Amino acid sequence: MKLSRRELMQGAASAATAGLIAGGAALAGRPALARPAQAIRPPGALAEDRFLAACVRCGLCVRDCPPQNLKLSRWGDGIAADVAIGTPYFVAREIPCEMCEQVPCVKACPTGALDPALTDIAKAKMGVAVLIDQENCLNFLGLRCDVCYRVCPVIDQAITLEKVSNPRSDRHAMLLPTVHAGACTGCGKCEKSCVLEQAAIKVLPAAIARGELGHHYRKGWEAGSRDGRPHFDAPVQRLPEHAVPGDLAPLRSGAAPYTPPVLAPGAAASGGAP
Amino acid sequence: MKLTPPIATPAESRTFGLKHAGQVQRPGREAVRMKGWLAAHRFWLLRRLVQCAIFGLFLLGPLAGVWIVKGNLSSSLTLGVLLLTDPFVLAQTLAARHVPELSALIGAGIVVAFYALVGGRVFCAWVCPVNVVTDAAAWLRRRLGIHTGRAPRGSLRYWLLGAVLLASAVSGFAAWETVNPVSLTQRALIFGGGVAWGVTAAVFVFDLLVAPRGWCGHVCPVGAMYALIGRVALLRVSARHSSRCNDCADCYAVCPEPQVIPIALKGKDRGKGGASPVITDSACTNCGRCIDVCGPDVFTYTHRFDTRRV
């Protein structure tokens, strides 16, 4: 085939135009790689860059999601504005993931953008819950709330309540919700149910939520515990087991009010005097 | 040096037509007179019916709770068994180095097989919602007598097809799906639109004011993909009764790809040992508007090996 000069120039012009358009399209899609923190991908979603390669934006996962919490992002819709257009996401504070046992969204995905290897929803890693505002969390204020702990589908594994002495009253316990990232699925039920105006616990993509320990660190106490050497477990909290002066609990329960412990005379003499 | 030579605008098409040169703004009038309105619009009506029916099926779920078809035209599931996947979006996925599940590959295989049989660009004319938009723009151009504007070369869409796959490979994500008016419009119809409708409107304005028949015929890489798929399609339009042609040029005026007609219609001495009357150009969308709009019924649907000329 003989290419004339004209055909060559025309071809070059078309190729250049096509390159500009396609390059522009790729650039236009580029900012969407950095997705807003509140936009959580469905369970089983591949890492964001691989997810964008795999997702054909058909919405089949959206259709098969029983609580209808998945949305396809649309241009100009708040959070969705920064999610690659047409890809699925959910906002935990609006409708969290229901953690369906059958994982219908993953089953619906035709391309494997939602990894079909995920069959146990408890192994999902949609994100990690973070108790992000300790200053407003009711438990940290010394109140009893615990709602996030109660609604957690993997209660006592993903969220535990850690008993800590309340230094303000010096005689009350604070039960602090603590997330264990290894068990957290990122379903967002804790964020949804947080009773504050703005949730104090939020689900964030793991890339944002998690730190990364220097790889040279060795947690010696873990290995030591395994080898049967002395344990360095977390100290057991010794909150007052007996009533102390001013305590109202014994009165409410009908028990005798505070009575100072009777010390043996000898003990007082030997122990009390310096 | 001309980078973007003009294609045959209706104004230029008049040079083909002698009889009705002044009336080409309203092509099909003669057909309506000779065959009646219904017969002069049957394939147009059928096409719109098919387009509406397909989107009706998609919308039946979200609107009425009857889930016959789920998803959208990028990938859909019919009656819980038939998975269909758009080959172009899957090609982008493959270019971005994601190996999709077998179901998506089979789904794309079924789509390719179907359009390889009936004509690749049957998707463009009979399924794609953007077709309604560009047809409307072309209609309005004729009615308003807008003859200005020029479209990029028709080969641009093939270059764009290649460039998009290259961009997907380099960027690692489906590069065209951020801006693709075809899937944006489909999604806006099925899942709700937002600003995506702006892209649809932009295609309308582009076709109306900038490039006659510009989007579908010269730019859209989705159409280019389907044209490649339908290169050897069985179902074709034939200018079988080309001897009846009265040179009114209405077919040129309505055809979204008018360059495909002359060889079949006017090929060497109208068939006396000359060219085939079958329009074999893969750009032909099999829309059937030429059949509708032709008063003396020159055109007909047939298969590609039926080269009879009467």
Side-chain angles (χ1 to χ4, degrees):
Chain A
M1 191 181 76
K2 196 166 167 289
L3 270 180
S4 73
R5 199 177 119 91
R6 168 186 291 240
E7 283 164 339
L8 206 66
M9 295 304 284
Q10 283 169 345
S14 292
T17 315
L20 282 175
I21 298 174
L27 279 180
R30 202 72 208 157
L33 285 174
R35 155 173 66 92
Q38 295 103 304
I40 306 294
R41 293 287 186 208
L46 304 174
E48 187 67 3
D49 55 338
R50 293 190 50 223
F51 180 80
L52 288 181
C55 176
V56 293
R57 312 170 193 217
C58 62
L60 281 171
C61 55
V62 175
R63 293 297 192 222
D64 279 6
C65 172
Q68 303 274 292
N69 71 346
L70 291 178
K71 293 182 273 194
L72 290 187
S73 80
R74 315 193 309 187
W75 274 355
D77 279 5
I79 287 173
D82 293 325
V83 183
I85 187 164
T87 56
Y89 73 100
F90 70 96
V91 176
R93 186 65 166 170
E94 290 169 10
I95 314 176
C97 173
E98 275 300 327
M99 304 256 295
C100 314
E101 262 180 47
Q102 302 296 320
V103 212
C105 52
V106 172
K107 283 191 179 147
C109 181
T111 62
L114 306 181
D115 191 350
L118 179 77
T119 48
D120 177 6
I121 187 64
K123 295 208 169 76
K125 291 276 169 249
M126 293 168 266
V128 177
V130 179
L131 207 154
I132 206 161
D133 185 4
Q134 302 189 348
E135 293 185 328
N136 283 309
C137 172
L138 295 183
N139 290 56
F140 274 82
L141 293 177
L143 304 170
R144 289 296 300 273
C145 169
D146 310 346
V147 173
C148 56
Y149 164 78
R150 303 276 167 209
V151 299
C152 179
V154 265
I155 185 169
D156 282 326
Q157 294 171 52
I159 302 183
T160 55
L161 290 179
E162 300 296 321
K163 206 155 59 162
V164 175
S165 167
N166 184 344
R168 186 159 42 73
S169 68
D170 205 22
R171 59 177 167 271
H172 292 100
M174 295 200 300
L175 296 170
L176 305 183
T178 306
V179 177
H180 302 277
C184 177
T185 63
C187 69
K189 289 199 170 188
C190 51
E191 179 177 345
K192 167 69 179 173
S193 60
C194 179
V195 299
L196 302 187
E197 298 289 315
Q198 296 284 333
I201 188 165
K202 288 192 167 87
V203 171
L204 301 176
I208 297 176
R210 303 231 51 196
E212 191 176 346
L213 193 64
H215 297 286
H216 58 286
Y217 281 87
R218 296 287 176 271
K219 293 174 184 166
W221 58 92
E222 286 182 350
S225 297
R226 273 201 301 276
D227 296 347
R229 274 180 272 143
H231 288 225
F232 296 93
D233 289 335
V236 176
Q237 291 290 326
R238 299 288 299 172
L239 291 166
E241 284 168 354
H242 304 288
V244 290
D247 208 338
L248 294 177
L251 294 177
R252 280 201 211 98
S253 63
Y258 170 71
T259 44
V262 184
L263 299 170
S270 63
Chain B
M1 185 183 62
K2 270 193 212 172
L3 293 182
T4 52
I7 60 143
T9 61
E12 288 160 55
S13 303
R14 278 183 203 156
T15 53
F16 296 116
L18 308 165
K19 248 172 90 185
H20 295 181
Q23 287 184 20
V24 87
Q25 258 169 264
R26 304 291 302 274
R29 272 192 169 169
E30 197 190 338
V32 172
R33 207 177 56 243
M34 290 172 72
K35 307 192 284 190
W37 191 90
L38 210 60
H41 290 86
R42 58 197 164 129
F43 289 116
W44 178 79
L45 279 171
L46 203 58
R47 221 150 45 85
R48 293 291 179 259
L49 207 66
V50 169
Q51 272 158 338
C52 291
I54 288 171
F55 283 94
L57 283 174
F58 277 111
L59 288 173
L60 216 52
L63 296 185
V66 184
W67 293 101
I68 297 171
V69 186
K70 283 179 189 171
N72 61 28
L73 291 167
S74 293
S75 201
S76 66
L77 189 65
T78 305
L79 294 171
V81 279
L82 179 66
L83 188 94
L84 300 173
T85 306
D86 181 272
F88 180 51
V89 73
L90 199 74
Q92 289 177 69
T93 290
L94 285 168
R97 292 182 297 282
H98 172 74
V99 181
E101 291 298 294
L102 192 64
S103 52
L105 293 172
I106 293 172
I110 296 171
V111 170
V112 168
F114 175 76
Y115 287 109
L117 211 63
V118 300
R121 295 203 64 206
V122 160
F123 173 85
C124 304
W126 292 76
V127 180
C128 180
V130 176
N131 169 266
V132 181
V133 175
T134 57
D135 271 2
W139 174 83
L140 202 60
R141 273 184 87 85
R142 286 196 298 272
R143 290 304 296 269
L144 298 178
I146 303 174
H147 300 311
T148 52
R150 51 182 47 190
R153 297 181 62 75
S155 59
L156 174 63
R157 55 184 156 184
Y158 295 105
W159 285 103
L160 192 54
L161 175 64
V164 163
L165 295 182
L166 193 67
S168 299
V170 172
S171 67
F173 59 89
W176 194 242
E177 293 312 300
T178 314
V179 294
N180 187 355
V182 175
S183 45
L184 286 175
T185 307
Q186 288 167 4
R187 257 201 313 277
L189 271 170
I190 299 166
F191 287 88
V195 189
W197 288 115
V199 180
T200 320
V203 169
F204 180 79
V205 172
F206 178 71
D207 264 29
L208 181 68
L209 301 176
V210 182
R213 287 290 182 182
W215 183 262
C216 300
H218 301 259
V219 183
C220 182
V222 181
M225 184 80 169
Y226 278 107
L228 288 179
I229 290 168
R231 281 186 79 82
V232 290
L234 219 50
L235 179 68
R236 301 273 58 164
V237 174
S238 163
R240 179 182 298 163
H241 303 284
S242 53
S243 56
R244 296 180 191 161
C245 177
N246 59 8
D247 294 328
C248 72
D250 280 3
C251 54
Y252 293 106
V254 295
C255 181
E257 303 273 359
Q259 79 280 7
V260 308
I261 297 178
I263 299 172
L265 184 63
K266 301 287 176 184
K268 257 188 179 175
D269 296 328
R270 299 201 175 173
K272 284 173 195 159
S276 157
V278 178
I279 297 173
T280 49
D281 195 310
S282 61
C284 173
T285 65
N286 275 356
C287 69
R289 275 301 276 152
C290 54
I291 306 175
D292 276 351
V293 89
C294 182
D297 268 336
V298 167
F299 298 96
T300 181
Y301 277 121
T302 184
H303 58 85
R304 73 181 296 126
F305 303 109
D306 175 19
T307 53
R308 283 175 292 164
R309 212 188 265 272
V310 186

